[in-house]
Amino acid sequence: MRIIVGVTGASGSLYAYTLIRTLHQLGIETHVIATKTGEKVLQYECGVNINDMKQFAEVHDDSNLFAPVASGSFKTDGMVIVPCSMNTLGAIANGIGDTLVTRAANVAMKEKRNLIIVPREAPFHLIHLQNMTKLAEANVSIMPASPGFYHQPKEIWELINFIVSRILDALNIDHKLIERWGEKQ
Ligand SMILES: Cc1cc2nc3c(=O)[nH]c(=O)nc-3n(C[C@H](O)[C@H](O)[C@H](O)COP(=O)(O)O)c2cc1C
């Protein structure tokens, strides 16, 4: 299995860091593309340098449109953009693919592969909502970074794992990250 993870300059890079480490633990080939601001927010919020990700995944430069993930002929099982800025979301919703993150997302859409976008902004303005509607109409899964609280979390990692587990579910990847509602592990 092969997954692409895009990391952009929205808040919530801990979701991306946790997802990438979990994919590695599950033995899944992972390709990471961080935007320039994505790299900076990851460093600021998590104290993690993008180069630290190289132990878990293949890391591509967002400006490298020659990377394998820029082509539809490079087969993948899906792409997640987490967290997704309104900037990157707006570009993808309008067919723009001038960076590796936006190009790889366009590829996922044209090849009818699973694309999951985890937007983070508050509040949304009308154009954000219109862009998300456009993407949803094009079969993109919009998964807001808004964890549930019905599992009565005590610590931040439980909220993070809630969203990461929903992303893994959407990618059809088996995991035991959380206890499922109605099931005891
Ligand atoms: C600390 C920090 C947090 C940010 N949080 C968000 C956010 O939650 N959502 C968002 O859409 N933009 C956020 N931004 C603004 C984006 O980083 C900015 O729009 C940037 O151009 C996005 O570029 P990218 O899409 O190439 O990553 C944040 C910026 C900084 C510095």
Side-chain angles (χ1 to χ4, degrees), residues 106-150:
N106 271 277
V107 167
M109 290 171 74
K110 80 182 175 76
E111 301 297 336
K112 306 207 182 309
R113 294 175 189 153
N114 208 350
L115 176 60
I116 298 150
I117 285 186
V118 184
R120 218 295 326 167
E121 186 53 285
F124 292 127
H125 62 57
L126 180 62
I127 296 168
H128 296 151
L129 295 166
Q130 286 171 337
N131 283 336
M132 282 188 260
T133 301
K134 266 176 132 175
L135 289 168
E137 284 171 349
N139 281 328
V140 174
S141 177
I142 305 290
M143 186 171 299
S146 56
F149 288 79
Y150 52 81

Side-chain angles (χ1 to χ4, degrees), residues 8-11 35 37-38 41 44-45 84-88 120-121:
T8 78
S11 187
T35 64
T37 322
V41 176
Y44 182 75
E45 291 187 341
C84 189
S85 68
M86 293 303 103
N87 175 61
T88 293
R120 218 295 326 167
E121 186 53 285

Side-chain angles (χ1 to χ4, degrees), residues 54-128:
K54 291 183 179 162
Q55 59 186 307
F56 306 122
E58 197 164 323
V59 177
H60 303 279
D61 196 295
D62 193 34
S63 65
N64 181 16
L65 288 160
F66 282 80
V69 292
S71 170
S73 67
F74 185 78
K75 287 208 161 181
T76 72
D77 298 287
M79 176 170 183
V80 188
I81 305 182
V82 57
C84 189
S85 68
M86 293 303 103
N87 175 61
T88 293
L89 188 144
I92 298 165
N94 289 284
I96 294 167
D98 63 345
T99 60
L100 193 57
V101 166
T102 54
R103 169 63 188 165
N106 271 277
V107 167
M109 290 171 74
K110 80 182 175 76
E111 301 297 336
K112 306 207 182 309
R113 294 175 189 153
N114 208 350
L115 176 60
I116 298 150
I117 285 186
V118 184
R120 218 295 326 167
E121 186 53 285
F124 292 127
H125 62 57
L126 180 62
I127 296 168
H128 296 151

